[in-house]
């Protein structure tokens, strides 16, 4: 069986990784590791952007032993200590130095992973070797302790032109005939994910030719529709079979979909039709509550039917005219409220870890701490050093 292109053509030199800034930052961290306060590093960004490949390439160039584990295989305290604890204590082969790679650290999130994140944070404190973690989303609140102990490096989604050029090189090596426009379609559809684009090329290429009809089939199958197109399917039809599939290719949470419809319903519906449509949404919200509270995911079918077909069939005829749909303002309001308290929460979390007391108790004392910091520069400087405060937190404390 032939290797996947993503493995077969994995870059062996860091200069071949299409993330020059991130690669340079990672190299600098490793070169100056002994002088670093933080012993860990999180490479974050979408899938297929070169995070793992960069670590492999740099380890080879610097002649460092690479110990790699996947976080989904070491999800709790016991398995983490068993796998990483031994690796961190043992001397590297031929005394060449060592890198510990914890791939897909997002895999330690969830109820099954009791102690997983805190164990990683503890291992970081006493590590003699750099621990590199990769993540798609390191901003989950469960990872706040881990973030505070790590340097973060962003691997952004790749530009479609960059992906197209890489696909051209691989097609040439594999003797695959192609039209440049077809490669651009694949590259754009990949959404910055080089691995996905390589997998598409490998699966579509037939008898060493990229066939346009196969590209169109896969493109249609994986099409990620925008939320606006999906809303139009619901609001502009009375056919439940059309409306029920509106969100099939939309990558949003059920809560977000519900809020989008709630925001835009009054623009399309009036009178009794609006009342009936909101009745459908209220019933859908009941099912959503049962899903979240009881984990009865079979109710997701009822939820989806109510917010799509249910909303569509309450109107007597298709809506006419153009309506400009807008994102829900409720999410924006929640976001603004969260941002307003973000500094207070992050400071309280750092203080609770430092002082070994509850976050709830620290939040009650924050006004007093802020008042002291505002009037005592030595106290503020000490806090900054001990808690490794960032610029926003310092400004908030001193304002």
């Amino acid at each position: 069986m032939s290797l996947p292109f993503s493995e077969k053509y994995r870059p062996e030199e860091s200069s071949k990784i299409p993330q020059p800034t991130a690669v340079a930052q990672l190299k600098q961290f490793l070169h100056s590791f002994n002088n670093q306060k933080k012993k860990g590093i999180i490479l974050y960004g979408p899938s297929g952007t070169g995070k793992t490949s960069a670590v492999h390439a740099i380890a080879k160039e610097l002649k460092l032993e690479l110990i790699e584990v996947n976080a989904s295989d070491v999800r709790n305290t016991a398995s983490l200590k068993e796998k990483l604890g031994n690796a961190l204590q043992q001397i590297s082969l031929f005394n060449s130095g060592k890198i510990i790679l914890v791939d897909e650290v997002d895999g330690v999130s969830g109820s099954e992973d009791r102690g997983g994140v805190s164990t990683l944070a503890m291992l970081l404190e006493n590590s003699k070797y750099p621990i590199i973690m990769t993540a798609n989303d390191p901003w989950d609140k469960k990872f706040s302790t881990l973030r505070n102990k790590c340097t973060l490096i962003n691997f952004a989604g790749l530009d479609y032109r960059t992906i197209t050029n890489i696909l051209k090189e691989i097609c040439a090596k594999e003797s695959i005939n192609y039209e440049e426009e077809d490669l651009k379609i694949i590259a754009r559809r990949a959404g910055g994910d080089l691995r996905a684009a390589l997998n598409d090329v490998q699966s579509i290429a037939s008898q060493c030719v990229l066939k346009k009809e196969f590209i169109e089939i896969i493109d249609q199958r994986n099409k990620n529709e925008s939320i606006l197109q999906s809303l139009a399917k619901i609001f502009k039809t009375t056919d439940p079979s059309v409306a029920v599939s509106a969100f099939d290719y939309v990558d949003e949470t059920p809560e977000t979909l519900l809020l989008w419809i709630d925001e835009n319903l009054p623009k399309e519906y009036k009178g009794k039709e609006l009342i009936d449509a909101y009745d459908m949404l209220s019933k859908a919200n009941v099912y959503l509550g049962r899903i979240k509270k009881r984990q009865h995911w079979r109710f997701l079918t009822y939820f989806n039917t109510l917010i799509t077909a249910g909303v569509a069939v309450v109107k007597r005829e298709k809506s006419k005219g153009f309506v400009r749909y807008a994102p829900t303002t409720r999410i924006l309001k929640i976001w603004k409220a969260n941002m307003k308290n973000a500094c207070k929460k992050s400071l309280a979390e750092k203080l609770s870890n430092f002082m070994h007391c509850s976050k709830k108790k620290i939040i009650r004392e924050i006004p007093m701490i802020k008042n002291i910091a505002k009037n005592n520069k030595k106290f503020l400087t000490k806090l900054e050093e001990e808690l490794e405060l960032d610029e926003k937190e310092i400004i908030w404390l001193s304002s």
Side-chain angles (χ1 to χ4, degrees), residues 132-322:
I132 302 175
M133 291 158 278
T134 69
N136 293 331
D137 177 21
W139 305 111
D140 190 299
K141 63 181 181 181
K142 294 179 182 180
F143 296 105
S144 57
T145 304
L146 201 57
R147 286 198 309 271
N148 293 334
K149 297 179 182 295
C150 292
T151 299
L152 271 65
I153 297 179
N154 181 27
F155 277 66
L158 300 174
D159 182 82
Y160 86 93
R161 289 179 287 265
T162 301
I163 294 178
T164 301
N165 291 333
I166 294 172
L167 295 182
K168 285 181 183 178
E169 293 177 9
I170 291 173
C171 283
K173 292 176 181 177
E174 292 288 327
S175 300
I176 297 173
N177 296 321
Y178 64 89
E179 294 291 336
E180 185 168 343
E181 194 57 37
D182 293 339
L183 289 185
K184 287 181 180 179
I185 291 172
I186 293 172
R188 285 193 180 96
R189 193 186 63 236
D193 185 339
L194 177 58
R195 186 188 302 117
L198 290 172
N199 290 340
D200 278 352
V201 167
Q202 190 166 15
S203 63
I204 294 168
S206 174
Q207 297 179 349
C208 298
V209 178
L210 279 178
K211 293 188 176 181
K212 189 179 292 290
E213 58 266 31
F214 293 160
I215 294 174
E216 291 171 354
I217 290 171
I218 291 182
D219 189 46
Q220 184 62 33
R221 184 191 67 200
N222 295 330
K223 187 176 181 183
N224 190 359
E225 294 189 20
S226 75
I227 192 76
L228 302 180
Q229 292 171 319
S230 300
L231 290 175
K233 274 188 177 182
I234 297 168
F235 294 147
K236 299 296 185 182
T237 186
T238 57
D239 185 346
S241 64
V242 173
V244 77
S245 63
F247 294 131
D248 283 358
Y249 299 107
V250 173
D251 186 18
E252 291 289 356
T253 63
E255 294 90 339
T256 302
L257 298 177
L258 191 68
L259 291 173
W260 268 93
I261 297 175
D262 171 59
E263 181 74 22
N264 293 284
L265 258 183
K267 300 176 182 179
E268 291 276 13
Y269 290 61
K270 304 295 179 186
K272 189 175 184 304
E273 292 180 354
L274 181 60
I275 294 171
D276 291 342
Y278 272 122
D279 183 53
M280 292 291 180
L281 288 192
S282 68
K283 290 174 180 175
N285 197 41
V286 171
Y287 280 114
L288 184 59
R290 290 173 181 171
I291 291 169
K292 294 168 69 175
K293 186 176 182 179
R294 305 175 191 172
Q295 295 297 296
H296 289 176
W297 287 98
R298 63 182 182 277
F299 289 154
L300 194 60
T301 299
Y302 304 133
F303 169 83
N304 182 68
T305 302
L306 285 166
I307 67 171
T308 55
V311 170
V313 299
V314 299
K315 57 179 175 288
R316 298 184 187 89
E317 58 183 23
K318 293 181 181 179
S319 303
K320 297 177 181 178
F322 172 75

Side-chain angles (χ1 to χ4, degrees), residues 12-71:
E12 295 187 358
E13 300 174 13
S14 62
S15 59
K16 299 294 184 181
I17 305 288
Q19 298 276 8
T21 302
V23 168
Q25 291 174 335
L26 178 55
K27 281 185 175 180
Q28 175 60 32
F29 174 86
L30 294 174
H31 280 303
S32 58
F33 174 73
N34 292 331
N35 299 321
Q36 296 280 354
K37 287 185 179 180
K38 299 180 179 181
K39 302 301 181 182
I41 194 163
I42 298 177
L43 310 180
Y44 70 95
S47 299
T49 51
K51 301 185 291 294
T52 305
S53 295
V55 178
H56 279 262
I58 293 174
K60 185 177 180 180
E61 288 174 359
L62 299 180
K63 294 181 173 57
L64 296 173
E65 181 187 355
L66 179 62
I67 307 297
E68 181 176 359
V69 295
N70 191 294

Side-chain angles (χ1 to χ4, degrees), residues 331-346 392 396:
I331 292 176
L332 180 61
K333 289 174 182 176
I334 293 171
W335 179 81
K336 285 182 177 179
N338 288 338
M339 289 299 292
K340 189 175 182 180
N341 294 315
C343 285
K344 181 193 288 186
K345 289 179 180 178
S346 65
K392 289 181 180 179
W396 184 82

